[in-house]
Amino acid sequence: MLYAAVATGSFRRYATYRVATAAGVFTNTVFGFIVAYSYIALWDQRPHLGGYDLPQAMTFAWTGQALLAATSLMSGGGIAELQDRIRTGDIAIDLHRPADLQLWWLAADLGRAVLQLIGRGVVPLSVGALFFELALPDHPLTWLLFLTSALLAVVVSFGLRYLVALASFWLMDGAGLAMIAGLAGTFFSGMVLPLPVFPDALAHTAQLLPWASLLQVPADILLGARTGADALRGLLLQAGWAVALLALGRLVQSYATRKVVVNGG
Amino acid sequence: MVDALIEVAGVEKVFSVRRKAGRLRRVREEVRAVSGLDFTVARGEMVGYIGPNGAGKSTTIKMLTGILVPSAGRLRVAGIDPFARSGTGGAAGGRLRLARRIGVVFGQRTTLWWDLPLKDSYELVRRMYRVPDATYRANLERCVELLDLAPLLDVPVRQLSLGQRMRGDIAAALLHDPEVLYLDEPTIGLDVVSKAKVRSFLREVNAERGTTVLLTTHDLTDIEQLCHRVMVIDHGRLVYDGDLTGLLAAGEGERMLVVDLDRELPPIDGVPGARTVKVAGPRQWLAFPAEASAAPLVAAVAERYPLVDLSIREPDIEDVIARLYAGGTATPVAGA
Amino acid sequence: MADGVLETAAPRTERAADAGGRWAVVVHGLRTYRLLVWMWIRATLAYRASFAMTVVGNFAATALDFVALLLMFSRVDVLGGFTLPEVALLYGLAGTSMNLADLLMGSMDRLGSRIRDGSLDTLLLRPVPVFAQLAADRFALRRLGGITQAVLVLGWALAHVDVAWSVGRVLMVPVMVLTGTAIFAAVFTAGAAFQFWAQDAAEVQNSFTYGGKAMLQYPPTVFAQDLVRGVVFVVPLAFVNWVPALWLLGRPEPLGLPPWVAFLGPVVAALLCAVGGLLWRRALAAYRSTGS
């Protein structure tokens, strides 16, 4: 199938960047230590802050580093390329391909994310487990739920980044919007600090926003803050945002396509 | 060789590369990019440096500019050894001093600042090379006039077409009065008009200012129109050094005399030094050695046949060089 | 190209290059750096609105870390035994120095991609040290946003920390900022040298620059002793703020070092810069002989 081939190709392409991956793993690991120690100081003062015990807080810190590359929290991921193609007008060529633009890029992004989930996720999480007491699940089913949640995180992240990229059809300089999106993603995903640690009102709101799907939900499933029905509710929330964002993306895409057809690119 | 501007003696460049051997294993291998390179270029010469891809052209140019340090041998440009450790500026001193005396143009890569208008790039060059005001003004004025740069001066480099950018690059390389100009594929990708403009400018720079020019190219018209001397490199070795005629002889090149007779006749026969290779109606083709003169041949034909018109076709130099490479037996011709 | 220009110009420029020797090369490098920076600033300011937005964005991006600290202090009174103004002091010092160094030479991390696309060679062709050209390349004026943010936090912290100010203590503040900037600049240089043989590893540099900043904004008491030891003795980032700021705050040195160590910052910075410079020269020389 076409989209499977696109995803595999993208996976392979990112697999060739070995040195860059190693460098990224190193950086994620260094930041993992820094974040973990700052959480230790915090939980030392407030042992059950945000409903987490210390091992859970440690797990959150390292999960954040493990998912950072895959969910492209701080960067455009492969989507930056789409933004470039829109800006330069090359997008007109893509639109004439016998493939759906959104599905094409989603497949490519999933291929990239799966590679980075393995390549940049496993080592930091293992190092974290080696040096700190983590609250990792015993049951394989929980791991499966976590991986499902991580993949949904990638799809939600894609939905958001795709919208940002499409905005380049109308904005002269898409860099500003990309920047704002990156900041919102970093802050409201829990990357800066787990959402339950936020002041209560802010925490409740943030839990419902799409960015919570990027880190907070998968991390909570992994460290056991969301179990059973609560875990399923988390997955549903992610799936809901994924569907909503992809649908919105299609809508915007159809407007954008019409614009290209009318203006000739 | 009274005033040798470029002196290359026994220069060698060996790269150590890691090659894939199996899934994970890598083996170190020595690759000899250039070996036993010996030549001199006199002040004011215009030399074509040609060879197939990967033959060692770029490696040579990089060593001549001081970017790349040779593995062995000696090299001096404008009296400067770019790799001398002693002297000012430590290890980089030779390269920095040489940089002021040479101009370099890469056909495929600009040395201008992508986001800045052309004239800002020139201003930067002026300050970096510390070009005296009078010299800068005179040179810029001249380049702007001869290369038609006036309408481009306020345009950011990224908005220039390839031909415009190349002209801009050549001007930038000449603002500081270099004694040597290296051009790496200066006409690649250019349209016919831009090519002609670039060539006539280079001819003028060389003729009027005595700037020594060394150019690599794939376009043999560049060589024909610009260079009296050609050096051919293959597999890191100089396989030919001499003039174009000699190159043709070495490559067993033939020229073609095409004659139109007033009627259809049997193949022309008995003209010494030529053989008829094709007949089509009243038109006949006679092949003769590239280095031989066409005049006695024409006289001999005209004397015995009803000649209406004639033309001489130059040999296809690419064929000649291909033959030279394929043979591998070509003997280097010393000196020019 | 009037007649005779060639004959007069060439010897003159050569004399100029030879006259002052190495010192002249350095001065010419600095001049060119200033010139290139000025060109980039002009190019940046040509698009005012876009520039303003990136400055604000840069401000906001660096402010996120501080928001995290504020959120933490909304739940606790002290972190690792340090109050908010004290932590803000560490944050402001680390942020100001690192962001300054990032402004001055943050483009060094593009060296790897310049080697890959071959554009480093064009820099090597010019009669100016490559280092000066690289450091000034794409000078990112937007980083003023991050610097402003860190300076504001630093100012707030200085007004609120409990310090018995004396002339020496007041002087220590600018010394710390300059020392820190120099230390981070040395790290940027070493990182660039590293890219000569690992062109895709630009991100490793982030561990020491952005990672260093992230670490230094927390008190040393937060971290394991071995980690602190590494930051004092191996990559002496601790001299950016920890060691001198603890002296300023009247707290004991993190590793129980004698108090005079607090004044070693400038010496450490100078040594680090020398090491960074040496690494750079070695790496560049190696690049020129391997061509890869």
Side-chain angles (χ1 to χ4, degrees):
Chain A
M1 196 191 127
L2 173 67
Y3 300 107
V6 170
T8 321
S10 170
F11 180 92
R12 291 229 180 90
R13 182 176 146 208
Y14 279 87
T16 57
Y17 305 149
R18 287 183 209 191
V19 179
T21 301
V25 164
F26 182 77
T27 307
N28 289 145
T29 308
V30 168
F31 272 90
F33 273 105
I34 295 168
V35 176
Y37 277 116
S38 70
Y39 286 4
I40 290 178
L42 195 56
W43 264 264
D44 184 50
Q45 296 280 303
R46 298 283 305 272
H48 291 284
L49 188 59
Y52 296 156
D53 58 20
L54 187 61
Q56 285 179 316
M58 292 297 97
T59 311
F60 193 98
W62 288 97
T63 307
Q65 293 303 319
L67 292 183
L68 187 60
T71 55
S72 304
L73 264 178
M74 292 177 172
S75 65
I79 299 291
E81 211 176 307
L82 173 62
Q83 203 160 3
D84 275 346
R85 292 187 74 81
I86 295 173
R87 210 168 31 79
T88 56
D90 288 348
I91 194 72
I93 304 165
D94 300 353
L95 288 172
H96 286 107
R97 266 191 228 152
D100 181 76
L101 192 69
Q102 191 188 36
L103 283 178
W104 177 286
W105 284 97
L106 175 61
D109 202 47
L110 279 174
R112 173 200 62 79
V114 169
L115 186 274
Q116 294 195 327
L117 202 57
I118 303 165
R120 296 208 28 193
V122 173
V123 173
L125 200 57
S126 307
V127 171
L130 201 66
F131 284 87
F132 300 89
E133 189 198 341
L134 301 190
L136 293 175
D138 302 321
H139 204 289
L141 187 68
T142 317
W143 279 102
L144 201 66
L145 285 178
F146 166 68
L147 287 179
T148 312
S149 179
L151 279 180
L152 281 171
V154 173
V155 180
V156 173
S157 155
F158 170 81
L160 288 164
R161 282 176 289 130
Y162 192 70
L163 284 172
V164 172
L166 286 186
S168 300
F169 275 109
W170 292 275
L171 296 176
M172 276 287 285
D173 183 10
L177 186 66
M179 202 168 56
I180 294 166
L183 288 177
T186 311
F187 189 71
F188 288 113
S189 63
M191 193 65 214
V192 164
L193 209 59
L195 298 184
V197 180
F198 285 18
D200 290 338
L202 188 61
H204 288 309
T205 318
Q207 288 278 16
L208 296 174
L209 295 176
W211 296 289
S213 297
L214 303 184
L215 172 60
Q216 189 64 46
V217 176
D220 274 348
I221 290 176
L222 186 69
L223 56 82
R226 274 183 187 271
T227 52
D230 208 16
L232 289 179
R233 263 198 299 278
L235 291 179
L236 267 173
L237 180 75
Q238 286 183 298
W241 274 119
V243 170
L245 287 166
L246 289 180
L248 187 60
R250 293 208 77 83
L251 189 71
V252 176
Q253 179 184 322
S254 69
Y255 279 114
T257 313
R258 226 170 296 159
K259 184 173 181 289
V260 172
V261 172
V262 171
N263 299 341
Chain B
M1 229 59 75
V2 188
D3 193 5
L5 205 58
I6 301 176
E7 299 163 81
V8 175
V11 162
E12 201 168 287
K13 184 68 210 176
V14 180
F15 292 115
S16 166
V17 292
R18 282 146 64 85
R19 197 172 52 82
K20 245 183 162 168
R23 278 195 77 78
L24 288 171
R25 224 158 53 84
R26 301 275 192 282
V27 287
R28 275 202 171 278
E29 232 175 38
E30 297 221 316
V31 174
R32 206 164 286 268
V34 162
S35 64
L37 209 56
D38 277 295
F39 64 85
T40 56
V41 175
R43 190 180 289 277
E45 264 194 291
M46 208 161 179
V47 181
Y49 193 48
I50 57 180
N53 289 327
K57 286 184 310 240
S58 301
T59 304
T60 313
I61 297 275
K62 279 189 182 181
M63 290 192 286
L64 288 175
T65 54
I67 295 181
L68 197 59
V69 187
S71 313
R74 283 183 309 106
L75 187 160
R76 286 174 83 80
V77 178
I80 295 170
D81 176 359
F83 313 107
R85 284 208 124 265
S86 59
T88 57
R95 170 175 61 82
L96 294 176
R97 272 193 304 143
L98 179 62
R100 289 175 198 281
R101 313 279 290 270
I102 62 174
V104 186
V105 177
F106 291 120
Q108 322 215 34
R109 194 181 303 143
T110 184
T111 57
L112 303 167
W113 284 262
W114 205 242
D115 302 280
L116 300 180
L118 202 51
K119 69 168 192 283
D120 284 2
S121 270
Y122 293 157
E123 180 62 20
L124 283 172
V125 168
R126 179 178 81 82
R127 306 272 289 266
M128 280 190 173
Y129 286 80
R130 288 191 269 190
V131 187
D133 280 348
T135 314
Y136 174 75
R137 267 198 302 275
N139 287 351
L140 184 60
E141 209 170 285
R142 190 68 183 278
C143 286
V144 166
E145 184 196 324
L146 288 176
L147 289 167
D148 283 342
L149 295 175
L152 308 177
L153 287 175
D154 290 309
V155 182
V157 173
R158 71 180 122 80
Q159 289 173 17
L160 297 179
S161 75
L162 194 58
Q164 293 170 333
R165 206 213 72 204
M166 176 53 61
R167 273 144 55 201
D169 254 309
I170 293 177
L174 287 169
L175 292 175
H176 61 288
D177 274 334
E179 288 161 71
V180 193
L181 182 61
Y182 301 110
L183 301 146
D184 193 12
E185 300 284 354
T187 57
I188 197 164
L190 302 194
D191 58 83
V192 184
V193 180
S194 295
K195 274 185 186 180
K197 209 174 270 179
V198 165
R199 285 182 194 135
S200 72
F201 179 75
L202 291 177
R203 226 179 347 246
E204 185 151 342
V205 166
N206 174 253
E208 288 195 7
R209 307 186 39 219
T211 307
T212 310
V213 177
L214 184 72
L215 70 94
T216 76
T217 184
H218 272 90
D219 186 339
L220 294 154
T221 321
D222 288 347
I223 307 274
E224 282 176 331
Q225 297 195 357
L226 295 174
C227 305
H228 299 296
R229 178 178 167 197
V230 190
M231 295 194 291
V232 182
I233 189 171
D234 189 32
H235 291 100
R237 289 183 175 279
L238 217 51
V239 295
Y240 178 80
D241 184 353
D243 60 10
L244 199 54
T245 323
L247 175 63
L248 299 177
E252 293 162 348
E254 287 186 321
R255 291 200 284 172
M256 202 70 76
L257 177 67
V258 186
V259 294
D260 287 335
L261 308 177
D262 76 347
R263 61 184 183 280
E264 207 169 314
L265 285 170
I268 294 173
D269 193 19
V271 178
R275 62 199 164 84
T276 308
V277 292
K278 193 177 167 190
V279 179
R283 178 170 287 188
Q284 301 204 9
W285 282 261
L286 285 85
F288 64 100
E291 70 277 17
S293 165
L297 204 63
V298 174
V301 174
E303 193 177 298
R304 293 166 42 204
Y305 288 89
L307 191 60
V308 177
D309 198 6
L310 68 89
S311 66
I312 293 171
R313 302 244 169 104
E314 293 300 320
D316 193 335
I317 307 179
E318 267 176 82
D319 284 350
V320 174
I321 291 170
R323 233 172 286 156
L324 194 69
Y325 296 150
T329 50
T331 41
V333 182
Chain C
M1 297 168 216
D3 289 342
V5 164
L6 183 84
E7 284 72 23
T8 54
R12 196 190 307 164
T13 46
E14 196 186 341
R15 264 205 310 278
D18 286 342
R22 189 170 298 196
W23 182 241
V25 172
V26 172
V27 170
H28 187 47
L30 284 172
R31 278 214 189 104
T32 307
Y33 174 83
R34 201 179 60 194
L35 176 69
L36 285 169
V37 164
W38 176 235
M39 284 282 182
W40 281 110
I41 290 178
R42 264 181 36 194
T44 309
L45 292 180
Y47 305 94
R48 295 280 160 109
S50 174
F51 169 68
M53 203 160 70
T54 54
V55 172
V56 173
N58 195 253
F59 183 101
T62 56
L64 271 190
D65 288 337
F66 192 64
V67 173
L69 278 179
L70 289 177
L71 286 174
M72 287 182 176
F73 274 96
S74 75
R75 301 290 190 159
V76 297
D77 295 325
V78 288
L79 201 62
F82 284 62
T83 62
L84 179 59
E86 288 173 324
V87 174
L89 178 71
L90 293 175
Y91 175 96
L93 286 169
T96 307
S97 330
M98 160 60 199
N99 295 341
L100 262 172
D102 201 16
L103 173 77
L104 293 177
M105 48 195 307
S107 308
M108 298 297 283
D109 64 357
R110 289 188 58 248
L111 177 69
S113 61
R114 271 189 173 276
I115 293 174
R116 259 176 291 144
D117 69 17
S119 62
L120 180 67
D121 287 348
T122 58
L123 304 189
L124 279 160
L125 290 174
R126 298 186 186 128
V128 177
V130 180
F131 189 81
Q133 298 182 60
L134 264 181
D137 190 45
R138 298 202 185 177
F139 188 80
L141 197 61
R142 63 168 183 280
R143 292 190 175 126
L144 284 179
I147 295 172
T148 309
Q149 186 266 337
V151 168
L152 286 177
V153 173
L154 180 61
W156 180 83
L158 288 173
H160 288 82
V161 283
D162 185 19
V163 171
W165 291 104
S166 64
V167 176
R169 290 204 161 85
V170 170
L171 271 179
M172 190 58 142
V173 177
V175 169
M176 280 191 287
V177 170
L178 292 178
T179 304
T181 308
I183 289 176
F184 275 118
V187 173
F188 273 112
T189 308
F194 178 66
Q195 287 177 61
F196 271 112
W197 62 270
Q199 284 132 42
D200 293 324
E203 211 181 329
V204 168
Q205 188 168 326
N206 294 350
S207 299
F208 296 98
T209 52
Y210 292 94
K213 181 177 86 165
M215 185 173 182
L216 294 178
Q217 69 196 29
Y218 293 105
T221 45
V222 160
F223 299 98
Q225 280 283 303
D226 283 340
L227 215 56
V228 175
R229 225 166 262 138
V231 174
V232 173
F233 296 115
V234 184
V235 188
L237 290 176
F239 289 89
V240 170
N241 62 352
W242 280 355
V243 174
L246 291 188
W247 170 80
L248 196 70
L249 295 172
R251 286 173 174 270
E253 289 298 327
L255 297 174
L257 297 170
W260 52 263
V261 170
F263 306 102
L264 284 182
V267 180
V268 171
L271 273 175
L272 261 185
C273 285
V275 170
L278 211 65
L279 281 176
W280 170 261
R281 291 180 79 121
R282 279 283 174 84
L284 183 62
Y287 171 78
R288 284 179 69 207
S289 64
T290 59
S292 61

